[in-house]
Amino acid sequence: MNQPILCDLQPTLIDFRHEVLSGLSLSQKQFPPQFFFHDKYGSDLFTQICKLEEYYITRTEIDILQKNSQEIAAVLGKSCLLIEYGSGSIEKVHPLIEALDSPAAYIPIDIAREHLFTYAELTTSKYPELNVIAVAADYTQKEFRLPNEKLSNLANIENKVILFAGSTLGNLNRIEAIALLRKSAALIEGKGAMLIGIDLKKDPTVLHAAYNDSQGLTAQFNLNILSNINRELDADFDLDNFYHYAPYNPVLGRIELHLISKLSQIVTVSGQQFTFREGESIHSENSHKYSIEDIQELSAEAGFMLKETWVDDHKLFSVNYLEL
Ligand code: AVI
């Protein structure tokens, strides 16, 4: 049986203590969005969120990829090298892989090594003809490169395409998003394309429901950051003294996740004290929403041209082909 090539670039994990202490020292307290996935419980909660009726993002993207797989595969062309950022363990790309015409290889990249390697093995067992090169790495790092020595004996590659699914681009601000797109252009050596799943602007009540679900899973996902800090950094956050708040900001076109202090209080983390006023927030995430025009502009600013967009019938979500 064909085996995946496993390539461990030993991604360095973020310095949790440093990020927490510096984030809490800012006048607008904040955490980076990666904190949600810091422990298994956070990742499991996200898997559950993705199955919620109110959180339309995951199922809508899968649906778009499934329904349009032939057309998308035709745009990607023959002998395509498909690179996937943050592939995780969701098999949402499999319908596309099935539709591709003799792909040169599939390169899933993820920081979570164990999950990635299990997923790579599963993909190879499902598609024994496919070359799978799984890369454990942090694709957001400046120094990240593709393991070119592993690609040298692949048959002729006619197109290199980076798939970035799940609307994770939306968790970056505009400057960060453009920087990631430019870095991606360099990764494929200025020739190729990106296939990006991006959540669309829509009725704010739909967005509000998606990030304030009735089962309270998103609230737990947000508050779990404080539990992790308590456990790992000898902190004394009282979770009953904070609540999840996730409004849509129509001016900035984004859902914002906050943890709001219910009262004035002092919290100790690793021996340092942090004062909270009543109503003060820790800003834990932004989830930007785009219009097709926004996507066109963003692409152009990063040196790409938006060539094709596929959306669902309700125009909730988009999958976009951006060419260099
Ligand atoms: C990972 N990311 C695309 C999710 C989003 O929708 O922005 C994270 C999330 N936050 C709350 N719910 C889901």
Side-chain angles (χ1 to χ4, degrees):
M1 197 186 82
N2 192 10
Q3 289 290 326
I5 296 176
L6 308 177
C7 185
D8 189 354
L9 300 186
Q10 305 192 322
T12 41
L13 300 176
I14 55 165
D15 183 343
F16 191 55
R17 184 172 181 278
H18 170 79
E19 295 279 343
V20 169
L21 295 177
S22 56
L24 290 176
S25 303
L26 296 171
S27 56
Q28 167 60 70
K29 296 178 172 65
Q30 65 180 51
F31 294 143
Q34 303 94 296
F35 275 18
F36 290 118
F37 304 95
H38 186 73
D39 69 338
K40 183 169 180 319
Y41 183 59
S43 302
D44 289 349
L45 277 172
F46 186 60
T47 305
Q48 288 179 53
I49 290 170
C50 290
K51 292 180 187 152
L52 289 172
E53 184 59 34
E54 293 138 311
Y55 192 76
Y56 57 85
I57 291 187
T58 314
R59 68 163 182 283
T60 311
E61 183 176 46
I62 292 175
D63 219 47
I64 296 172
L65 286 171
Q66 255 166 6
K67 287 200 176 120
N68 300 284
S69 60
Q70 297 295 337
E71 207 179 302
I72 299 174
V75 173
L76 267 56
K78 205 169 179 293
S79 305
C80 168
L81 181 72
L82 185 65
I83 301 154
E84 186 179 8
Y85 283 170
S87 48
S89 51
I90 305 182
E91 301 147 45
K92 63 170 79 161
V93 65
H94 284 187
L96 178 59
I97 288 177
E98 281 166 32
L100 284 175
D101 184 356
S102 1
Y106 168 51
I107 310 187
I109 305 169
D110 206 287
I111 199 160
R113 185 183 301 119
E114 309 306 322
H115 268 100
L116 172 75
F117 290 172
T118 311
Y119 167 67
E121 273 155 16
L122 179 134
T123 306
T124 315
S125 64
K126 200 163 164 192
Y127 307 108
E129 304 290 300
L130 181 71
N131 294 310
V132 178
I133 305 169
V135 182
D138 181 353
Y139 59 84
T140 64
Q141 291 296 300
K142 246 204 338 269
E143 55 282 0
F144 171 65
R145 302 272 176 283
L146 286 177
N148 282 324
E149 66 290 353
K150 305 268 193 298
L151 309 184
S152 53
N153 44 8
L154 293 177
N156 57 321
I157 297 168
E158 301 215 354
N159 195 12
K160 284 187 191 168
V161 179
I162 299 175
L163 171 66
F164 193 25
S167 205
T168 305
L169 189 80
N171 298 130
L172 305 178
N173 66 35
R174 189 178 173 81
I175 293 172
E176 292 165 340
I178 291 170
L180 183 68
L181 294 183
R182 289 198 177 136
K183 189 182 149 28
S184 304
L187 196 73
I188 50 177
E189 292 157 331
K191 206 169 166 294
M194 293 195 75
L195 187 66
I196 314 186
I198 300 181
D199 197 17
L200 295 175
K201 284 184 171 149
K202 60 182 64 66
D203 178 349
T205 55
V206 175
L207 289 169
H208 190 268
Y211 293 85
N212 294 274
D213 63 276
S214 50
Q215 290 182 39
L217 290 178
T218 312
Q220 279 184 54
F221 187 52
N222 203 3
L223 285 158
N224 182 48
I225 299 175
L226 303 183
S227 304
N228 285 333
I229 297 174
N230 281 347
R231 194 181 58 247
E232 293 186 24
L233 301 180
D234 190 22
D236 59 0
F237 277 104
D238 182 343
L239 270 59
D240 290 335
N241 288 343
F242 288 86
Y243 64 88
H244 163 78
Y245 178 61
Y248 179 64
N249 180 333
V251 179
L252 299 174
R254 68 191 195 194
I255 283 278
E256 294 182 2
L257 260 64
H258 296 267
L259 288 156
I260 308 280
S261 175
K262 290 183 188 167
L263 62 161
S264 72
Q265 54 182 320
I266 294 173
V267 177
T268 305
V269 183
S270 291
Q272 286 191 38
Q273 293 199 321
F274 296 94
T275 308
F276 287 84
R277 296 182 308 277
E278 182 183 343
E280 188 176 346
S281 90
I282 310 173
H283 189 172
S284 50
E285 186 184 54
N286 290 314
S287 190
H288 293 88
K289 310 301 169 190
Y290 287 82
S291 66
I292 304 296
E293 294 72 36
D294 295 336
I295 300 170
Q296 250 157 1
E297 265 180 43
L298 188 83
S299 311
E301 212 163 314
F304 284 88
M305 169 113 92
L306 178 61
K307 282 278 167 120
E308 295 277 350
T309 297
W310 295 270
V311 298
D312 56 293
D313 294 345
H314 302 287
K315 298 192 171 59
L316 294 173
F317 198 85
S318 65
V319 172
N320 304 276
Y321 187 75
L322 280 52
E323 212 170 55
L324 277 166

